[in-house]
Amino acid sequence: MNMLLDIGVDTVDLADIYGDYAATKLFGEVLKADPTLSKRIQIVTKADIVLLSEKHPEVYVQHYDTSAEHIIASVEQSLQDLGRDYIDLLLIHRPDPFMDPLEVSQAFDELYNEGKVHAFGVSNFMPYHHSLLSKYTKQPLLVNQIEISLMHPNPFLDSQIPYMMENDITPMAWSPTGGGRLFTSEEQKAINLRLALGVIAHNHNATAEQIAYAWLLNHPSNIVVVAGSSNFKRVKAAVEAEDILLDRQEWFYLLQQATGESVP
Ligand SMILES: NC(=O)c1ccc[n+]([C@@H]2O[C@H](COP(=O)([O-])OP(=O)(O)OC[C@H]3O[C@@H](n4cnc5c(N)ncnc54)[C@H](OP(=O)(O)O)[C@@H]3O)[C@@H](O)[C@H]2O)c1
């Protein structure tokens, strides 16, 4: 973590369910090993997915739970696992078709007023989900963490990114390399994208990987990339991609490879 802080990466993205409910506790061990760390980092975590897991034998169907009781219990568990007094940013992990927005709002109020969560957002929400929940919450829903990458450019083309820009919501891009498929898949789209990235990378004296991150970072919606690599050099390359400026034609050339067609 100290190496990451040295290159400016200070935010960790977690969820209560990650690693079959074990990731937050594991990260808590990291924080306990260096007591100075907790104050220097920001923690994002998420609640509402309920997995089928041996740890929860009472659960017989995977579901979402946005009840106040579940949201508050999830945050309390995360705080205990992390050995921390607060979460920097709490996200509702996925839109819940059984959601009572008033109950979510009450849970957010309680967590905010007790200082246990400093800010709120959502994940995988379409504009209509965001619009519904934000009508009820006193705290603004500051971010929406969604899948965006050259392997999944749809949010640029449908209403998702325009809605976020219109409403000052920060997009966080999960799977920015399509979970690595952009560089490992043998599907034709990935092969075409690698060729195009190689050409543009050559022009910028950068790597193909950096151009893939720059394609997201250059967008005027101010996307925050949630890189999933466990390889320090790859994370450093992603940070350095912030300095690469693509021109409009380069951006569209990559979009064309991503969608398989020219814009009309
Ligand atoms: N909100 C949600 O619903 C949601 C859903 C999924 C994920 N997330 C969050 O988003 C984070 C990132 O997602 P992700 O892990 O799918 O993102 P990602 O950064 O697109 O994928 C990471 C994977 O790609 C591999 N990779 C990266 N660059 C590569 C390269 N040049 N060549 C070969 N392999 C490469 C990494 O391997 P190495 O480790 O070997 O580099 C790693 O296995 C997750 O950790 C999670 O926090 C959120």
Side-chain angles (χ1 to χ4, degrees), residues 131-191:
S131 169
L132 169 65
L133 186 55
S134 60
K135 191 175 162 193
Y136 288 83
T137 53
K138 284 195 205 102
Q139 287 76 31
L141 303 175
L142 296 174
V143 313
N144 188 5
Q145 188 178 118
I146 58 170
E147 181 178 12
I148 330 176
S149 71
L150 282 162
M151 296 300 283
H152 186 76
N154 314 37
F156 289 124
L157 304 170
D158 61 27
S159 55
Q160 295 181 69
I161 291 292
Y163 177 82
M164 288 192 237
M165 292 177 78
E166 183 188 353
N167 292 285
D168 298 323
I169 302 159
T170 300
M172 291 177 84
W174 62 260
S175 285
T177 72
R181 285 179 300 117
L182 181 55
F183 299 106
T184 56
S185 167
E186 286 311 314
E187 68 180 288
Q188 197 56 48
K189 178 166 88 170
I191 293 170

Side-chain angles (χ1 to χ4, degrees), residues 13-14 18 46 49 91 93-94 123-124 145-146 173-181 183-184 209 213 226-231 234:
D13 185 70
L14 295 168
Y18 284 175
K46 317 181 194 75
I49 301 179
L91 310 182
H93 204 154
R94 287 201 175 259
S123 178
N124 303 300
Q145 188 178 118
I146 58 170
W174 62 260
S175 285
T177 72
R181 285 179 300 117
F183 299 106
T184 56
E209 205 175 331
Y213 290 120
V226 189
S229 178
S230 52
N231 176 320
R234 285 184 180 150

Side-chain angles (χ1 to χ4, degrees), residues 20 24 30-31 75 168:
D20 190 21
T24 307
V30 173
L31 295 182
V75 168
D168 298 323

